[in-house]
Amino acid sequence: MPKKNPVILSGDGTADPIDTWWWLSHKGTTTSFLCISLFALLIRSAVSMFPYSGAGTPPKFGDFEAQRHWMEITTNLPAIDWYRNGTHNDLTYWGLDYPPLTAYQSYLHGILLRTFSPESVSLFSSRGHESYHGKLLMRWTVLSSDVLIFFPATLFFVLVYHRDRTRRANSEVAWHIAMILLNPCLILIDHGHFQYNCISLGLTLAAIAAVLCGSEVLTCVLFSLALSHKQMSAYFAPAFFSHLLGKCLRRKNPILSVLKLGIAVIVTFVVVWWPYLHSVDDFFMVLSRLAPFERGIYEDYVANFWCTTSILIKWKKLFTTPSLKSISLAATILASLPSMVQQILSPSNEGFLYSLLNSSMAFYLFSFQVHEKSILMPFLAATLLALKIPDHFNHLTYYALFSMFPLLCRDKLLLPYLTLHLLFTLIYHSPGTHITLPKTKTSSFSFTSFPGYVFLLRTHFFISLVLHVVYLNIQPPQKYPFLFEALIMILCFSYFVMFAIYTNYTQWNISSHFRSADKEKKQI
Amino acid sequence: MDHLLWFFAVATAVKLLLIPSYRSTDFEVHRNWLAITHSLPLSEWYFDETSQWTLDYPPFFAYFERFLSFFAHLVDPKIVDLRSGIDYTADSVIYFQRITVMVSDLSLLLGVHRLTRKVEPLKRKLICVLVVLSPGLLIVDHVHFQYNGFLLGWLLLSVSFLQDGRDVIGGFLFAVVLCFKHLFAVAAPVYFVYLLRHYCWTGLASGLRRVVGLGAVVVAVFAVAFGPFIYNGQIQQVISRMFPFGRGLCHAYWAPNFWVFYIILDKGLAFWLRKLGFDVQVPSASFTGGLVGDSSPFAVLPQITPLTTFAMVLLAITPCLIKAWRKPQPGLVARWIAYAYTCGFLFGWHVHEKASLHFTIPLAIVAVQSLEDAKHYFLVSIVSCYSLFPLLYERQEYPIKVLLLLLHSVVMWLGFAALYTNEKALKKKEKKESGEIKSKFEIGCVEKIYLMGLVLVEIVSQFLHPYFLGDRYAFMPLMLISTYCAVGIMYSWIWQLRRILT
């Protein structure tokens, strides 16, 4: 039950040739992956024993009930009625608002539930169904989705991403696997709170791996599937789009390459959306379900730009919803533009990973209707870069988790929150690990070397610790019942902004590094 | 220490996540003991029958519960309430009791640390993984609920002192362990012979002095434990609580030991004799239900009494005692103790499946000593962990127990493979940076087939049997598991015996 961690040998080669974690990683990446994934599964199944969101809180319950309700709808009604309000499908009660692939997944899981526990998905009578076996079966559907999609995708990514590494780096690779698979945010949301992010994120991860190994058609198919599972996958779309476009433009026949990829995307979408493509009405009916603009630009206390600045500027009062839509769209595009431009100009694998991070962070910060849980998107991208920016990744994990703290507290997941945090910290700092940041040789100037930055970071950290304690122990003043949530939001938002600036800056730096390296080569 | 602490911290994280899992009645047993020791004067501890879960561990464990109950009272006074606390399942009591187990596991950390502080780093890491993250301990202590890790920690500490040649402290600690849980007494003959020979056999005068000294230490420990009860004239009551021989030869779920074969042989013989026309009485008593009067639970074979089992255990340990007498080597103490517990497990009276921890944990220390030991340990630890599966019969814990065992097997396999890799080959490969490193650690063909059989047994008992037979023959899956595991444990016993004799 150990996790294995990495040791980066001190570069001069004088270090012991057999590192501290050699004994667990000596058989190669696949074996370490097996070992870590068993541990990760153990942690997941343990977390799944804790309560889910909305447990025992009628009448609306929470995300668990939403997913169960979708299974109930999809197994009992024909596909065309899934998104339509009708006598059998009351869309105001957790109506299906994810794309068709989620519906199909609910259908498959619903069939499974019907086989073993028919009462948990029977039409109408199962509303608010909560039972030992019902919970267990639902939990196991998430576990199996993880095993079938996210875990293989991780293995695919790790094999491709680390293909050039020597056997010495085995433990470093193992550390990276552990960082991806033991990602506390994903575990808490999927196996604690209850969602199926592992599917869309797994498909995205596989698409990323496909980019790294150069099979672009596969990328398009996989990413289209991810988009058809959860529309939030669009957070990554600018990165995929710009990277693939940038690559195609460098080919002999740019138009042909773009066409090829376009066809792959269209075919995938047509296949997935087939039941809803028979009439324009049906199509727009589904589409309108996916974009619930009437819910406003933000909900609750999410650490993004709109919600945080609303303390000072009452966006909802100043603008109408349609104009807010355009404003947020413009802001999002503007924020993701730098990373897109960089990828179109000089597409590179490393730059692509940064651009995934930057575009998803731009969406998180500026797009319309963002949830706390959406931090999973930028966080996944950051996880992939864990070996490049270990310190920042560590801090991001902390604040990403912290931004979901009020949510997880509501779900009664405080203990798993703290424990997974502890576990993450332990694995991150596993003995023998000296994660030394590969210094970017390109610039003597670094964002993080500002003296103020470190001070700011420490202050942030200190305040967040205090807020944890305060949130748990002190009743907020009656006049401001959500005072502490707002404080947590501001704190996380300011960190996310700093992080986004840093990663954008780094992304642009890589390209200048490559370019200067190219120049040097030419000169030689 | 940093690796050890790290592993312990990781294990603690896993344990914390297991808090909401299934709890056996042992949880309520220990809660009741908290209540008894907190609410009643010492003179009534072993008499109280408010709850059916009466106090039946030796006094040190009662004192330990008294100590814990002080904190329990601070956390939530209802935990230690003798009457209204019965079957109390609030978060407070669950978190409190679960956390006491985690904290008391510190003794295990201490034991492993002391035992391995002079061992080379890789072996130390392995022992640490095998003991601190032992799936058996996690299943029994942190899901099922008991304090085995705490007690085994003291035992390991005692072994570590014996290995250092500090016999008096080793003996003292063992006496302490005995006063915590008397089931550890199976190894007492080994301790007795070893200490007598290794510590006291130094010539007549100094030897006698040492015997008296050591004896005084042990007597002092027992006096502290039992003294108050002797003073109150309750010692008989304490003893009768500790040794409830009214219970049957086998526990409700048969531990995978020798008696499984005995029972099956009896059933088989009775069946065939009846077929052949003999008049065989159906026994009126069930072998799990305890002895009722003079009736025997066996139809054909002679009845087994506690005395028989006692004699058999002693007989089985004898070869090891002779060996210890002839050549008392500190380095072999762990092996002998593990062997004694194996004998106790195989032939003892009313043995619980949990008792297999008593030998798998000390064997972990032996496992890194040689390739053969590693191969043996690989098999026995998997079998003993698998035999604990029926303890967690609820579905929620199913993935957890399976994953714990799989993970343990994979880690063990990787660890042993690394430990027994040819270093020269490794260095060569280091230069080439590619290719598979051949390890000497390979499981034999028979062992492989046997372990594969475990998968088959699990599939039959968990899936095929309920699917095809439903509730009929509900005892079959359990019988299948304990019989199959008993084969493995018997093999381990014979292997250990041969190892000790050669």
Side-chain angles (χ1 to χ4, degrees):
Chain A
M1 351 237 347
K3 3 348 286 288
K4 28 304 343 297
N5 307 15
V7 180
I8 294 172
L9 297 173
S10 49
D12 54 355
T14 50
D16 184 351
I18 297 171
D19 63 63
T20 353
W21 291 97
W22 166 82
W23 62 285
L24 273 177
S25 58
H26 65 111
K27 293 247 183 206
T29 307
T30 316
T31 324
S32 343
F33 176 82
L34 175 74
C35 194
I36 300 165
S37 54
L38 283 173
F39 183 77
L41 270 175
L42 175 69
I43 296 298
R44 280 165 166 77
S45 21
V47 171
S48 75
M49 293 191 295
F50 285 85
Y52 43 80
S53 68
T57 54
K60 279 286 261 187
F61 301 95
D63 274 355
F64 177 85
E65 171 64 7
Q67 299 283 354
R68 196 211 51 73
H69 179 65
W70 296 351
M71 293 179 196
E72 168 197 337
I73 292 297
T74 49
T75 45
N76 288 297
L77 301 179
I80 197 74
D81 289 336
W82 290 348
Y83 292 90
R84 186 182 288 155
N85 208 9
T87 45
H88 296 294
N89 187 7
D90 174 14
L91 286 184
T92 56
Y93 183 80
W94 297 116
L96 192 52
D97 53 6
Y98 279 1
L101 200 58
T102 293
Y104 304 147
Q105 164 244 317
S106 297
Y107 177 73
L108 283 181
H109 287 152
I111 299 237
L112 195 87
L113 251 72
R114 196 162 62 184
T115 317
F116 294 102
S117 166
E119 68 281 1
S120 67
V121 284
S122 58
L123 197 58
F124 292 127
S125 67
S126 66
R127 276 204 186 176
H129 177 89
E130 290 185 294
S131 66
Y132 179 82
H133 279 115
K135 175 187 172 188
L136 212 54
L137 284 166
M138 292 282 282
R139 290 293 202 190
W140 286 356
T141 61
V142 190
L143 270 178
S144 59
S145 311
D146 231 342
V147 175
L148 292 174
I149 297 175
F150 192 77
F151 281 55
T154 307
L155 181 61
F156 181 26
F157 172 80
V158 172
L159 286 176
V160 176
Y161 184 65
H162 295 292
R163 69 198 139 182
D164 299 331
R165 285 176 184 256
T166 58
R167 104 173 287 121
R168 273 189 174 192
N170 270 347
S171 9
E172 206 178 302
V173 177
W175 182 81
H176 198 190
I177 299 174
M179 286 292 114
I180 300 175
L181 291 184
L182 288 162
N183 166 346
C185 299
L186 184 60
I187 299 179
L188 283 170
I189 292 299
D190 274 12
H191 301 273
H193 178 83
F194 203 92
Q195 281 196 345
Y196 291 91
N197 293 297
C198 52
I199 300 181
S200 56
L201 290 179
L203 289 168
T204 311
L205 187 54
I208 296 168
V211 169
L212 299 186
C213 75
S215 46
E216 282 146 19
V217 176
L218 183 63
T219 308
C220 291
V221 173
L222 286 170
F223 188 61
S224 306
L225 286 176
L227 271 174
S228 309
H229 187 266
K230 233 180 158 176
Q231 60 269 45
M232 266 76 99
S233 307
Y235 285 24
F236 296 117
F240 278 100
F241 174 74
S242 54
H243 179 78
L244 293 179
L245 183 67
K247 266 186 172 171
C248 287
L249 291 179
R250 259 141 244 269
R251 301 261 162 77
K252 273 184 194 164
N253 277 322
I255 298 179
L256 207 68
S257 332
V258 172
L259 258 181
K260 199 171 78 181
L261 300 185
I263 290 169
V265 171
I266 290 167
V267 169
T268 315
F269 271 100
V270 168
V271 170
V272 175
W273 287 67
W274 186 248
Y276 309 100
L277 294 179
H278 298 300
S279 82
V280 182
D281 283 353
D282 287 344
F283 180 68
F284 279 104
M285 170 187 77
V286 178
L287 220 52
S288 68
R289 292 291 310 156
L290 303 188
F293 287 117
E294 70 284 354
R295 282 163 79 176
I297 190 159
Y298 56 83
E299 265 178 18
D300 294 345
Y301 285 85
V302 50
N304 76 351
F305 175 78
W306 306 111
C307 196
T308 310
T309 49
S310 71
I311 294 171
L312 300 173
I313 309 163
K314 299 293 168 207
W315 300 103
K316 282 181 180 176
K317 282 183 192 153
L318 279 176
F319 300 95
T320 60
T321 303
S323 57
L324 272 177
K325 254 196 281 189
S326 343
I327 296 174
S328 72
L329 182 69
T332 314
I333 292 178
L334 215 62
S336 52
L337 209 55
S339 81
M340 284 176 77
V341 171
Q342 193 272 337
Q343 275 305 290
I344 294 174
L345 291 181
S346 62
S348 69
N349 281 348
E350 198 183 343
F352 170 60
L353 293 181
Y354 276 105
S355 129
L356 285 166
L357 176 54
N358 291 328
S359 76
S360 52
M361 194 52 117
F363 269 75
Y364 177 81
L365 291 177
F366 294 106
S367 75
F368 201 86
Q369 250 289 316
V370 174
H371 288 262
E372 302 96 312
K373 288 156 260 176
S374 302
I375 192 65
L376 286 175
M377 260 47 91
F379 186 67
L380 175 79
T383 319
L384 306 182
L385 286 164
L387 280 169
K388 301 275 179 211
I389 44 167
D391 287 338
H392 295 273
F393 168 64
N394 188 17
H395 300 151
L396 182 71
T397 310
Y398 179 81
Y399 289 102
L401 266 173
F402 188 42
S403 74
M404 298 192 292
F405 179 60
L407 172 81
L408 295 168
C409 274
R410 273 203 301 279
D411 292 343
K412 303 193 184 76
L413 292 171
L414 179 64
L415 180 71
Y417 171 87
L418 296 174
T419 313
L420 288 183
H421 221 137
L422 166 77
L423 198 60
F424 173 82
T425 315
L426 282 170
I427 294 167
Y428 181 87
H429 296 287
S430 51
T433 321
H434 321 281
I435 303 171
T436 42
L437 233 173
K439 294 265 171 356
T440 14
K441 292 160 200 155
T442 43
S443 61
S444 51
F445 162 82
S446 172
F447 176 74
T448 47
S449 57
F450 281 137
Y453 177 76
V454 177
F455 173 74
L456 206 61
L457 216 58
R458 290 205 180 134
T459 328
H460 257 70
F461 182 67
F462 177 72
I463 299 175
S464 71
L465 285 185
V466 174
L467 269 177
H468 270 113
V469 179
V470 166
Y471 186 83
L472 290 174
N473 292 305
I474 298 178
Q475 283 285 323
Q478 286 202 329
K479 206 174 156 199
Y480 305 105
F482 296 106
L483 175 69
F484 301 139
E485 276 92 343
L487 288 174
I488 291 174
M489 171 188 81
I490 295 170
L491 202 69
C492 292
F493 173 71
S494 61
Y495 179 78
F496 292 155
V497 170
M498 287 193 288
F499 182 81
I501 295 172
Y502 169 75
T503 51
N504 270 293
Y505 172 79
T506 319
Q507 188 188 345
W508 274 89
N509 247 318
I510 314 170
S511 65
S512 62
H513 169 53
F514 280 130
R515 251 178 266 145
S516 61
D518 282 350
K519 268 180 209 162
E520 274 168 36
K521 268 184 203 163
K522 276 173 199 163
Q523 280 168 359
I524 293 164
Chain B
M1 189 78 182
D2 62 339
H3 260 89
L4 193 51
L5 269 178
W6 188 84
F7 278 118
F8 187 76
V10 168
T12 307
V14 176
K15 292 166 189 174
L16 282 168
L17 290 175
L18 290 175
I19 284 181
S21 61
Y22 152 85
R23 308 173 297 278
S24 73
T25 46
D26 276 351
F27 183 83
E28 171 62 14
V29 170
H30 286 92
R31 194 219 47 80
N32 187 47
W33 293 356
L34 285 176
I36 289 177
T37 51
H38 190 268
S39 329
L40 298 174
L42 186 129
S43 57
E44 290 172 41
W45 287 1
Y46 283 91
F47 283 92
D48 179 77
E49 284 178 357
T50 319
S51 155
Q52 57 169 320
W53 311 117
T54 53
L55 183 57
D56 57 7
Y57 271 27
F60 272 179
F61 204 86
Y63 301 155
F64 173 61
E65 293 280 4
R66 176 71 186 88
F67 171 73
L68 293 181
S69 70
F70 173 74
F71 300 100
H73 182 74
L74 294 180
V75 171
D76 179 357
K78 201 176 166 189
I79 299 175
V80 290
D81 192 298
L82 205 49
R83 264 166 245 285
S84 69
I86 288 181
D87 291 328
Y88 189 42
T89 52
D91 277 353
S92 62
V93 63
I94 293 170
Y95 277 73
F96 174 76
Q97 291 216 77
R98 291 270 196 212
I99 288 171
T100 57
V101 183
M102 292 172 213
V103 175
S104 65
D105 272 353
L106 280 170
S107 78
L108 193 66
L109 180 71
L110 185 66
V112 175
H113 166 65
R114 198 159 188 295
L115 203 55
T116 59
R117 78 213 132 105
K118 284 173 198 152
V119 178
E120 55 189 273
L122 179 54
K123 289 185 175 177
R124 182 177 152 97
K125 263 176 255 173
L126 261 177
I127 292 178
C128 172
V129 175
L130 297 179
V131 175
V132 173
L133 289 157
S134 149
L137 276 180
L138 285 171
I139 287 176
V140 176
D141 282 8
H142 301 277
V143 181
H144 177 87
F145 199 85
Q146 278 194 351
Y147 290 89
N148 291 294
F150 170 65
L151 302 171
L152 284 165
W154 292 109
L155 183 73
L156 292 186
L157 209 55
S158 153
V159 172
S160 82
F161 278 105
L162 290 189
Q163 286 192 349
D164 289 356
R166 298 168 72 180
D167 292 342
V168 178
I169 304 181
F172 163 77
L173 283 169
F174 184 68
V176 171
V177 172
L178 284 188
C179 294
F180 268 111
K181 193 171 179 178
H182 49 301
L183 292 179
F184 282 96
V186 183
V190 174
Y191 267 90
F192 179 75
V193 171
Y194 175 80
L195 288 178
L196 191 63
R197 173 71 178 170
H198 188 257
Y199 178 69
C200 307
W201 212 255
T202 52
L204 195 59
S206 74
L208 260 180
R209 214 165 40 237
R210 286 186 163 200
V211 169
V212 172
L214 190 61
V217 169
V218 174
V219 169
V221 171
F222 277 83
V224 170
F226 292 92
F229 301 96
I230 296 173
Y231 177 78
N232 288 335
Q234 301 170 335
I235 194 67
Q236 260 194 323
Q237 169 71 8
V238 175
I239 301 286
S240 72
R241 276 280 177 86
M242 279 164 51
F243 298 97
F245 281 118
R247 295 183 190 172
L249 172 64
C250 289
H251 187 51
Y253 159 62
W254 308 346
N257 63 10
F258 174 77
W259 302 117
V260 171
F261 299 120
Y262 193 80
I263 292 167
I264 288 175
L265 183 68
D266 179 69
K267 298 266 166 209
L269 278 178
F271 178 79
W272 285 108
L273 288 175
R274 250 176 245 134
K275 280 248 162 151
L276 293 170
F278 289 91
D279 177 33
V280 179
Q281 298 278 313
V282 177
S284 53
S286 125
F287 37 79
T288 54
L291 292 173
V292 184
D294 292 332
S295 69
S296 156
F298 297 104
V300 185
L301 294 176
Q303 186 184 339
I304 301 297
T305 61
L307 205 63
T308 328
T309 61
F310 180 73
M312 282 188 70
V313 173
L314 211 59
L315 193 69
I317 302 179
T318 314
C320 157
L321 297 182
I322 295 172
K323 207 74 184 168
W325 181 262
R326 285 215 185 130
K327 214 174 175 196
Q329 287 170 282
L332 292 178
V333 167
R335 194 182 290 277
W336 292 333
I337 289 171
Y339 174 75
Y341 285 127
T342 315
C343 297
F345 182 80
L346 272 180
F347 303 108
W349 181 262
H350 196 86
V351 172
H352 284 233
E353 63 286 53
K354 291 155 252 172
S356 65
L357 287 173
H358 294 183
F359 60 86
T360 41
I361 298 299
L363 274 177
I365 295 141
V366 181
V368 297
Q369 291 175 1
S370 80
L371 182 59
E372 293 307 308
D373 283 310
K375 286 178 182 171
H376 163 251
Y377 184 75
F378 186 80
L379 185 89
V380 74
S381 76
I382 289 178
V383 173
S384 85
C385 174
Y386 179 70
S387 74
L388 296 172
F389 271 22
L391 276 182
L392 313 185
Y393 56 86
E394 291 203 10
R395 300 208 178 140
Q396 182 178 251
E397 286 74 23
Y398 190 77
I400 292 178
K401 64 182 182 185
V402 173
L403 286 166
L404 276 172
L405 178 56
L406 284 179
L407 188 58
H408 178 67
S409 319
V410 172
V411 169
M412 228 179 353
W413 174 60
L414 287 174
F416 287 143
L419 186 59
Y420 299 109
T421 295
N422 193 333
E423 295 218 358
K424 276 181 199 163
L426 183 69
K427 271 177 195 147
K428 265 186 211 164
K429 289 288 178 198
E430 274 293 319
K431 284 173 198 156
K432 291 183 201 159
E433 301 274 349
S434 66
E436 186 72 4
I437 300 170
K438 254 284 180 240
S439 169
K440 282 182 271 178
F441 181 76
E442 272 171 2
I443 311 298
C445 194
V446 181
E447 283 89 342
K448 245 183 219 157
I449 294 170
Y450 178 77
L451 289 176
M452 289 298 153
L454 281 182
V455 180
L456 204 69
V457 167
E458 178 64 8
I459 291 171
V460 169
S461 62
Q462 284 296 316
F463 303 103
L464 299 184
H465 182 274
Y467 187 76
F468 289 110
L469 292 169
D471 288 340
R472 278 175 297 157
Y473 309 110
F475 62 93
M476 283 295 284
L478 289 183
M479 206 169 91
L480 182 66
I481 294 174
S482 44
T483 318
Y484 196 79
C485 291
V487 175
I489 306 281
M490 284 295 275
Y491 161 81
S492 159
W493 172 64
I494 295 166
W495 189 92
Q496 287 185 57
L497 181 61
R498 281 181 47 197
R499 182 90 190 169
I500 285 170
L501 290 179
T502 52

